[in-house]
Structures are given as structure tokens and as C-alpha cells.
Amino acid sequence: MNHVVGNPATGTIFGGGGNEWFGPAVWKSTDLGASWTHSSKGLAYEGGAEPIKAVWTVAAKNGSLYAGVQPAGLFRSDDRGETWQHVEGLQKHPSRPQWTPGGAGLILHSLVLHPNDENQMWIGISAAGVFHTSDSGRTWEPRNKGTRADFLPEGENYPEFGQCVHNLVMAAGRPDRLYQQNHCGMYRSDDGGKNWQSIEKGLPSSFGFPVAAHASDPDTAFMIPLNGDTAGRYVPDAKAAVWRTRDAGKTWQGLREGLPQQNAYFGVLRQAMATDRLEPVGVYFGTSSGTVFASADEGDSFESIAEHLPVITSVETMVVER
């Protein structure tokens, strides 16, 4: 299972996953996880295309459910995940033959839906970059200006597409403000991804995966940088910290209270960090060594709430009224 999301209005939970042996699917629970069904009907490319290996992300809005898959593509369901239709416009983008896989493969891992405009959506693909649609997926535009690709030859580090975006989220109340962690830096955009500016100054590394937005303050975001792509991919100096900005990335504060400060040789994957909508906002993350940490005070202090789990690929929150 790669990614799980919940709908607090209905109590329904959706999970995307699968593998090359069993194929892709989206699982659904309508009783808060007590029982599950799953469907892969329609989760396939046309004949002759490379088979879909897994679903990497899911997102729901206004009765529609979207799934990002590997190899990178987008599917939509209008019947709560029972059947799926290929959003073909993305695969038809002129740059598609030049997309190259990241370390985990050619995956569509980030789906950001506009809260007020059903036609707009942003996606993140490793390693093709960020793309945007304003017509429900019929056409797409690369939105990577200002993000680096350090792994390309010198002088070609800022291409139109081909960046290895790691995660993409939207700021609260400002649909045009986006934050991303990238293989090569941390960034903010204030114009819907048309232009990006680096916000990595003050952070211990320019490499990381998860980013989470505050539920109500567009200037507050949380990141967990790792020590680099070839140095082990664990928290810098093996001392765990969540890094918080209160000014949209101008400055950062390392939050360490309650987190291990020695021998923390773990990483945090792209979907394994989340915030909730409580007051104050809660912050949660899961590690590659199977521990879940939680903060009830916007990151000022943390505690372990689960241990000895397998590698944690996804952490999400859902406030359920009982």
C-alpha cells in the first residue's frame, strides 16, 4: 500500500497500491478500516502499452476519485472507485517519450486538486517534474521554472521538464501557493507553479521527500530533509528533526523535542507526513524503521504513538465525529 486518504464526511477510506505480481488496485473501506473491498476495473493502459505496476497516490473531491500510477499516468473514477477511466491527455503530452524514471520508477506520486475549480490540477512525477491542467486533464503544461536538476550536465540544470520532484502540496487558503521537496532542493511557488523559488536556505540539506502544509496558515509548512541521495538517505547526523517555517520558507526552525537525537538512522518517505485540522494543528510522520511520531502542538513537541511496524509509506489524518 503506497498511499491512503480518508473522507471525514462519509468515513470512507481509500488506499492505492499493488505490485507487478498482483497488479494495481484501489482499496476502499466504508467502516473505518474494519473491512475492505478493492477494484482494478479500468486501471490499465491500452493494448501494447507497458502494464501498470501499482497505484502510488489517490485524491478525492466532489464525488470524483483520482489515482496516480506507475508508469506515470492518471486515472479517474466517478463511482467511488468501482471503475476507472484513463485521463489520456497526460500520456499524450509531447514530452512523454522523454520522461525518465526516478529511483522508485516512473511514478505519478503527487495529486493536488484545486479547491474551487474542478478543471485545475497539479501533479508531480519522478522524474518528469510538475505538470498543471486547467481543462480537467485534456491538456497539460510543465511547471518547473526555477527548480534544479543537478544530475543533468552543467548548463542544462533548469530544463522545462525532467526534474525529480519528490512531493507537492498546496498552502491553506491560497490555491496558487505550492510547496515542494525535490531531489535537488526545497521550493515555493506563489503563482501556481509557473515560477519556483528556492527556500532551502537554513535547512541542513537540499534533499528530502515529505512536505506538509498547515491546515489554516499558508505561511506555515513542515519538511523533513534527509542527508542526501547517496549518503544513506537518513535524517542528518542521525538526529531526528521536523523543520518548520512560519514565513513561507524565509526562515526555518528545527523541532526536536521528543524525537531521537542519536542513532536515528531512518528516513521518511514522500507520503509519510501529514497534518490535521485541529487547533492547534497536529503534525505526524512515520519512519522507514516503523515508528510513528505525533505532535499535538504544531511540532513544538513529539511523542511516539506506534513502534515496530514495517516501513511506513503513508501517514494521513481524518478527524471523525462520534
Side-chain angles (χ1 to χ4, degrees):
M1 192 70 70
N2 290 318
H3 189 209
V4 175
V5 297
N7 184 341
T10 64
T12 303
I13 303 171
F14 294 100
N19 57 40
E20 293 180 69
W21 181 258
F22 290 104
V26 173
W27 282 257
K28 178 173 67 176
S29 173
T30 58
D31 51 16
L32 298 178
S35 62
W36 294 84
T37 60
H38 76 278
S39 176
S40 59
K41 187 176 181 180
L43 274 174
Y45 292 135
E46 295 70 18
E50 183 180 352
I52 295 174
K53 299 176 181 178
V55 174
W56 272 80
T57 186
V58 287
K61 183 174 179 286
N62 294 339
S64 293
L65 185 66
Y66 292 89
V69 304
Q70 176 190 9
L74 182 65
F75 287 77
R76 173 175 173 161
S77 173
D78 294 317
D79 56 9
R80 296 167 58 82
E82 296 299 320
T83 60
W84 296 89
Q85 302 82 42
H86 184 201
V87 182
E88 297 180 355
L90 183 62
Q91 289 278 311
K92 294 178 179 179
H93 193 273
S95 67
R96 176 62 183 87
Q98 298 170 268
W99 295 357
T100 57
L106 185 62
I107 58 175
L108 195 164
H109 52 67
S110 293
L111 281 169
V112 178
L113 309 182
H114 195 289
N116 307 316
D117 184 349
E118 293 188 12
N119 294 317
Q120 288 199 65
M121 181 191 313
W122 293 261
I123 60 169
I125 299 174
S126 294
V130 174
F131 289 77
H132 171 264
T133 180
S134 59
D135 56 13
S136 300
R138 286 186 290 276
T139 61
W140 295 83
E141 174 190 3
R143 292 205 169 173
N144 301 292
K145 186 178 180 180
T147 55
R148 304 191 310 275
D150 293 338
F151 43 82
L152 293 180
E154 187 174 352
E156 302 177 15
N157 303 123
Y158 289 88
E160 182 183 14
F161 62 90
Q163 289 85 343
C164 190
V165 55
H166 281 174
N167 199 5
L168 181 71
V169 299
M170 179 181 289
R174 289 189 59 173
D176 284 339
R177 172 169 286 178
L178 304 171
Y179 294 97
Q180 69 159 291
Q181 278 225 66
N182 194 290
H183 195 103
C184 307
M186 287 71 167
Y187 301 92
R188 187 191 80 235
S189 172
D190 292 324
D191 56 9
K194 295 178 182 177
N195 297 276
W196 293 90
Q197 57 181 297
S198 172
I199 55 172
E200 63 199 62
K201 184 179 180 180
L203 292 171
S205 169
S206 61
F207 177 90
F209 287 95
V211 53
H214 192 279
S216 59
D217 180 4
D219 290 337
T220 298
F222 305 86
M223 293 187 179
I224 303 180
L226 304 181
N227 67 340
D229 57 348
T230 62
R233 301 193 177 199
Y234 54 83
V235 289
D237 301 320
K239 299 178 180 180
V242 172
W243 292 80
R244 180 181 67 198
T245 180
R246 295 288 200 187
D247 52 16
K250 294 182 180 68
T251 61
W252 293 91
Q253 178 185 10
L255 309 172
R256 302 178 182 275
E257 184 174 339
L259 298 178
Q261 295 303 292
Q262 59 181 2
N263 299 321
Y265 293 103
F266 58 69
V268 181
L269 297 177
R270 72 181 86 247
Q271 309 285 24
M273 185 181 188
T275 56
D276 64 28
R277 297 184 176 276
L278 300 177
E279 182 61 44
V281 164
V283 184
Y284 311 82
F285 70 93
T287 72
S288 60
S289 57
T291 300
V292 180
F293 292 96
S295 169
D297 52 15
E298 307 203 354
D300 288 338
S301 62
F302 284 87
E303 63 176 328
S304 170
I305 60 171
E307 296 180 330
H308 311 302
L309 299 173
V311 174
I312 296 169
T313 59
S314 178
V315 173
E316 294 289 335
T317 66
M318 182 170 69
V319 179
V320 179
E321 300 292 341
R322 290 185 177 273

